[in-house]
Amino acid sequence: MIHQQLEQLARIREPEARSKLIRALVGEYARSEDHQPSETERELFSGIVLSVFDQLDREARYELVVRLAKTDRIISALADRLAQEDYALSEPVIECSPMMSPNGLMTIARAGGNDKRLSVARRKDVSEEICDTLIARGNRNVVHALLNNPHVPFSVRGTLALLIFANTEPEVLGGIARRAIRDEEFLRTQMEILETNCPLLPPPLKTALETGDLQRLANSIEDQPRDGDIELDGVNYSRHEASIQIANGELSFDAILRTLFEQERIDAAIWLISRRINLADEVVSDTLKSDADGAIMRLMLQTGIHEKTYRDFLKARCEWLGRSTRSIPELVMRYRAELRSPGHYRPQLAGQ
């Protein structure tokens, strides 16, 4: 029966007739639960649908989503194509389809709307890389969905970004506390960051980790009224989402470092640089405070940051130390030349 319909589909040229036949074909294909289609049959069916996809009316596309979005009866190319439809049609595919490809999910994380990103954040197969992109580019509803999804792994970069947000946003701070209560691995990451004396740890979270009383922190934020600021352990937190976003919508070392410069968190930037090149915080701090431009450049070359990030670093350093910015263009040119020299080593931040 399906074979005859496929032959008929190949002969039909009218879009309306094709849509009608596709709906019938999808219904029959989906109902054959007693027969698990082979890989060849999946590819044949999906290939035919893809070849006429742009000619299908909304009802035919809706039929595809309703009957096949949550199954493995289609190939990744068709699932990814369905995910490009408007959210009313694509939501079940994005959130539930086992056939969505990693590239398809990453495309949504990078360029999809926040409604689609939210659906990705609820999946059971979100990778660290996709999680990083969702944290950097999604709104806070997406971040909270990730924190509430027990299947999502958080990289070191993703965790640092969460801590940056948590320094001004109590809801993110509470989300981290609740996740750490439920997720031993996530808690272990927080404890490891605590042991390094990371200045990005909000004081209430630092206290909760040291005392083992994360539940009190979680409850104190949940019990707060929705309007106005709140105070936790002597620190005021705004109810408004922070205006500072991760630079360029990504979680590279450069992007996190630039964000810290924008926030004037030199202490956190020193901590991050120290971990990048395995030097003590005091050594990095003393070097950056010195007048030895060559030593500073060599230190920053070890981080492998881009010349634009180096320029932002020099501006932040001048403001931090109250010094003139006149020499920055020349220093950036020297840095660029060294960075592009043969054999330059580019380190990786732990978790990258």
Side-chain angles (χ1 to χ4, degrees), residues 106-251:
M106 181 57 79
T107 297
I108 295 171
R110 286 175 176 160
N114 280 312
D115 49 3
K116 290 190 174 184
R117 290 187 180 120
L118 190 60
S119 288
V120 174
R122 291 169 175 158
R123 290 178 62 93
K124 295 182 179 180
D125 57 353
V126 177
S127 67
E128 282 190 359
E129 184 181 8
I130 291 174
C131 178
D132 284 351
T133 304
L134 289 172
I135 290 173
R137 302 199 177 199
N139 61 18
R140 291 304 181 269
N141 287 335
V142 174
V143 171
H144 289 303
L146 291 168
L147 282 168
N148 290 326
N149 186 341
H151 305 285
V152 171
F154 288 89
S155 69
V156 172
R157 292 173 299 183
T159 302
L160 292 178
L162 292 176
L163 293 177
I164 290 173
F165 299 150
N167 272 278
T168 56
E169 302 170 42
E171 285 84 0
V172 177
L173 179 60
I176 291 174
R178 288 187 289 274
R179 175 72 183 228
I181 292 170
R182 302 189 304 265
D183 185 338
E184 290 185 5
E185 184 174 350
F186 188 78
L187 174 59
R188 186 160 48 249
T189 299
Q190 305 304 313
M191 296 302 296
E192 290 172 353
I193 292 175
L194 173 67
E195 291 171 2
T196 66
N197 295 315
C198 175
L200 286 174
L201 273 174
L205 179 59
K206 184 175 184 290
T207 300
L209 291 171
E210 290 174 337
T211 61
D213 196 3
L214 286 162
Q215 192 63 60
R216 183 191 67 83
L217 175 60
N219 291 343
S220 66
I221 293 175
E222 285 184 327
D223 294 342
Q224 293 292 330
R226 295 298 301 177
D227 53 340
D229 297 346
I230 67 172
E231 181 177 321
L232 297 170
D233 295 344
V235 180
N236 287 317
Y237 292 84
S238 171
R239 281 285 170 186
H240 300 291
E241 184 173 313
S243 59
I244 297 293
Q245 300 293 321
I246 296 298
N248 293 335
E250 59 182 51
L251 288 188

Side-chain angles (χ1 to χ4, degrees), residues 15-151:
E16 184 177 350
R18 278 191 164 181
S19 292
K20 184 177 181 180
L21 185 54
I22 282 288
R23 291 199 299 273
L25 180 60
V26 168
E28 187 163 339
Y29 182 70
R31 279 194 299 270
S32 56
E33 297 179 356
D34 56 333
H35 171 66
Q36 185 65 20
S38 66
E39 188 63 30
T40 299
E41 289 171 326
R42 288 190 188 94
E43 291 181 0
L44 177 61
F45 171 82
S46 300
I48 290 172
V49 173
L50 282 169
S51 69
V52 298
F53 192 89
D54 292 337
Q55 303 172 32
L56 300 180
D57 58 26
R58 188 173 180 84
E59 290 184 9
R61 298 183 189 197
Y62 182 75
E63 192 79 16
L64 277 166
V65 170
V66 169
R67 293 186 178 275
L68 298 173
K70 300 180 181 181
T71 75
D72 61 357
R73 290 175 168 248
I74 57 177
I75 63 174
S76 292
L78 180 53
D80 291 350
R81 179 62 186 84
L82 288 169
Q84 296 174 24
E85 295 294 291
D86 62 74
Y87 189 60
L89 274 179
S90 63
E91 179 185 8
V93 184
I94 298 171
E95 190 163 331
C96 303
S97 174
M99 303 310 297
M100 280 287 298
S101 71
N103 286 340
L105 293 172
M106 181 57 79
T107 297
I108 295 171
R110 286 175 176 160
N114 280 312
D115 49 3
K116 290 190 174 184
R117 290 187 180 120
L118 190 60
S119 288
V120 174
R122 291 169 175 158
R123 290 178 62 93
K124 295 182 179 180
D125 57 353
V126 177
S127 67
E128 282 190 359
E129 184 181 8
I130 291 174
C131 178
D132 284 351
T133 304
L134 289 172
I135 290 173
R137 302 199 177 199
N139 61 18
R140 291 304 181 269
N141 287 335
V142 174
V143 171
H144 289 303
L146 291 168
L147 282 168
N148 290 326
N149 186 341
H151 305 285

